[in-house]
């Protein structure tokens, strides 16, 4: 009998649009001969399975099951495709852990940790991974912006501490004129704001996953934004960035990036596919970790699918590998 797989998409945040774009790619590349797949949409309006005739069948949240034609459908594993909350921040993973249901992403603790940028860089720095210096501001508990950032060298990036996709992010060159408005912008997205030193260099991003016990690094991508930095608009608007996969670099640089990516995957005890963003500081000859994305985009134009094509894997092979890793943990 084929395993029953729940493919969850949707979400509660502004990133749900990205989730649905990824969902199209994932659905088109699942192995339906190998698995019986049920799409589950998790939204503020409900948890449901959309049927081919346009109906919405409610999910029983007591055990994450469906009842179809009087028959109860239980799942063997979950393929998580939700960006932002609750699929990337550990909330959904904690729920599945309580049910004893394996899933394809990092576990609840790792997802929650990496969703918090400040905690992520703190753990990384403690483990000897290069990161930018930063300070954290908490709404209602902060001193003046200039005082908070007095130990940092400008320019800096100001961004919401939780979340992804560079929503609410700004680059600040002048503290007296630009810092306050940038912090205000970031606080509209989150109650915590990170101010982080700018690191000059080339921007690389790399997909990493585990298959059959082996940590695999994909051919990494160099990103060049036509804007001042790689913000939300540059990420998701055609023509505003240039992505080169594989990045054209000396092998000495590639070795360092791949080694740093593997170390990060191990240090954070990651599972499934993650994408790690780096700045390679050419003056120091070292990669600096920017952030970890535990549910990276999966649209046809997204970076991980680009890297998989260069790697020589089909998306069907890749999603099957993720599902098999999850089933092995059952």
């Amino acid at each position: 009998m084929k395993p029953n797989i729940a493919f969850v998409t949707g979400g509660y945040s502004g990133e749900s649009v990205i989730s649905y774009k990824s969902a199209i790619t994932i659905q088109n590349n699942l192995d339906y001969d190998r698995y019986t797949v049920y799409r589950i949409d998790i939204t503020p309006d409900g948890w449901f399975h959309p049927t081919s005739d346009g109906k919405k069948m409610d999910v029983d949240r007591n055990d994450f099951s469906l009842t179809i034609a009087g028959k109860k459908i239980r799942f063997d594993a979950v393929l998580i495709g939700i960006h932002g909350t609750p699929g990337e921040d550990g909330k959904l993973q904690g729920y599945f852990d309580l049910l004893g249901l394996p899933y394809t992403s990092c576990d609840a603790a790792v997802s929650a940790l990496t969703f918090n940028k400040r905690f992520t860089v703190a753990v990384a720095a403690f483990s000897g991974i290069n990161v930018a210096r930063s300070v954290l501001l908490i709404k209602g508990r902060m001193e003046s912006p200039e005082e908070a950032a007095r130990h940092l060298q400008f320019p800096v990036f100001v961004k919401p501490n939780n979340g992804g996709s560079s929503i609410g992010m700004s680059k600040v060159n002048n503290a007296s004129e630009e810092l306050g408005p940038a912090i205000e912008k970031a606080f509209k997205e989150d109650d915590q704001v990170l101010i982080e030193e700018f690191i000059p260099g080339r921007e690389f991003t790399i997909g990493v996953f585990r298959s059959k016990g082996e940590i695999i690094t994909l051919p990494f991508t160099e990103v060049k934004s036509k804007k001042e930095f790689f913000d939300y608009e540059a990420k998701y608007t055609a023509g505003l960035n240039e992505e080169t996969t594989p990045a054209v670099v000396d092998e000495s640089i590639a070795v360092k990036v791949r080694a740093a990516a593997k170390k990060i995957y191990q240090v954070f005890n990651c599972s499934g596919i993650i994408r790690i963003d780096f700045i390679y500081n050419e003056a120091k000859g070292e990669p600096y970790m920017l952030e970890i994305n535990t549910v990276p985009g999966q649209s046809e134009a997204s970076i991980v699918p680009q890297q998989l094509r260069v790697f020589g894997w089909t998306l069907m092979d890749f999603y099957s590998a993720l599902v098999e890793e999850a089933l092995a943990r059952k």
Side-chain angles (χ1 to χ4, degrees):
M1 183 179 295
K2 295 189 292 187
N4 289 332
I5 305 300
F7 165 48
V8 296
T9 186
Y12 288 62
S13 67
E15 295 183 64
S16 59
V17 173
I18 306 167
S19 299
Y20 283 122
K21 288 182 178 179
S22 294
I24 295 170
T25 303
I26 296 173
Q27 286 188 159
N28 289 342
N29 290 280
L30 292 174
D31 191 342
Y32 295 96
D33 291 332
R34 192 171 183 179
Y35 311 111
T36 302
V37 180
Y38 297 84
R39 171 171 163 166
I40 305 294
D41 284 9
I42 292 180
T43 75
D45 297 326
W47 295 23
F48 55 88
H49 165 58
T51 62
S52 57
D53 58 0
K55 295 180 181 178
K56 296 181 178 180
M57 307 196 69
D58 288 335
V59 174
D60 185 343
R61 299 190 204 182
N62 292 304
D63 57 5
F64 197 68
S65 66
L66 293 171
T67 300
I68 299 177
K71 180 182 178 182
K72 196 171 187 69
I73 307 296
R74 298 183 183 274
F75 299 109
D76 297 293
V78 181
L79 197 164
I80 295 179
I82 296 180
H83 302 277
T85 190
E88 198 171 357
D89 58 1
K91 294 183 177 71
L92 205 53
Q93 289 84 350
Y95 165 72
F96 291 138
D97 286 341
L98 288 173
L99 297 176
L101 191 55
Y103 44 84
T104 58
S105 75
C106 293
D107 65 25
V110 173
S111 297
L113 172 66
T114 54
F115 202 68
N116 184 303
K117 297 181 178 69
R118 176 64 170 178
F119 292 170
T120 302
V121 297
V123 171
F126 185 78
S127 303
I129 297 161
N130 296 317
V131 295
R133 293 199 306 164
S134 62
V135 296
L136 181 67
L137 307 180
I138 300 176
K139 186 177 286 188
R141 304 181 193 174
M142 56 176 274
E143 49 196 330
S144 72
E146 293 80 5
E147 180 68 16
R150 71 186 187 280
H151 297 303
L152 301 181
Q153 291 186 343
F154 281 71
V156 297
F157 285 110
V158 178
K159 49 185 141 179
N161 188 46
N162 297 283
S165 299
S166 302
I167 296 172
M169 181 175 173
S170 303
K171 185 179 180 182
V172 174
N173 297 293
N174 185 297
S176 60
E177 297 178 5
E178 302 172 6
L179 188 57
I183 291 172
E184 184 178 344
K185 176 183 176 182
F187 270 134
K188 290 179 180 178
E189 304 296 333
D190 191 13
D191 289 337
Q192 299 180 16
V193 168
L194 190 68
I195 306 177
E196 187 175 74
E197 285 186 349
F198 167 76
I199 300 171
R202 300 170 69 179
E203 183 163 356
F204 300 135
T205 185
I206 182 169
V208 190
F209 67 104
R210 189 190 301 271
S211 179
K212 299 179 180 178
E214 178 187 0
I215 297 174
I216 298 172
T217 57
L218 294 173
F220 59 89
T221 301
E222 181 169 13
V223 178
K224 294 180 181 178
S225 176
K226 294 182 181 178
K227 299 191 68 181
E228 189 175 12
F229 63 95
F230 196 44
D231 63 0
Y232 180 87
E233 185 182 12
K235 283 184 178 180
Y236 299 109
T237 303
L240 288 185
N241 66 82
E242 179 184 332
E243 298 166 359
T244 304
T245 308
V248 181
V249 297
D250 291 338
E251 183 60 20
S252 60
I253 294 175
V255 166
K256 291 180 179 179
V257 172
R258 290 193 294 262
K262 279 193 173 184
K263 180 177 180 179
I264 290 165
Y265 198 96
Q266 292 174 313
V267 163
F268 284 87
N269 191 30
C270 294
S271 302
I273 178 68
I274 68 169
R275 200 192 75 237
I276 308 169
D277 298 338
F278 288 102
I279 290 291
Y280 187 83
N281 187 313
E282 293 176 294
K284 295 186 177 180
E286 294 291 341
Y288 281 69
M289 188 197 80
L290 298 179
E291 62 181 72
I292 301 170
N293 301 273
T294 58
V295 185
Q298 297 293 320
S299 72
E300 286 290 344
S302 293
I303 286 173
V304 167
Q306 288 181 40
Q307 295 178 352
L308 283 162
R309 286 192 285 271
V310 174
F311 189 58
W313 277 34
T314 67
L315 289 177
M316 183 177 291
D317 289 339
F318 172 64
Y319 297 134
S320 294
L322 296 184
V323 170
E324 289 302 313
E325 282 289 302
L327 288 170
R329 295 194 293 272
K330 188 172 182 181

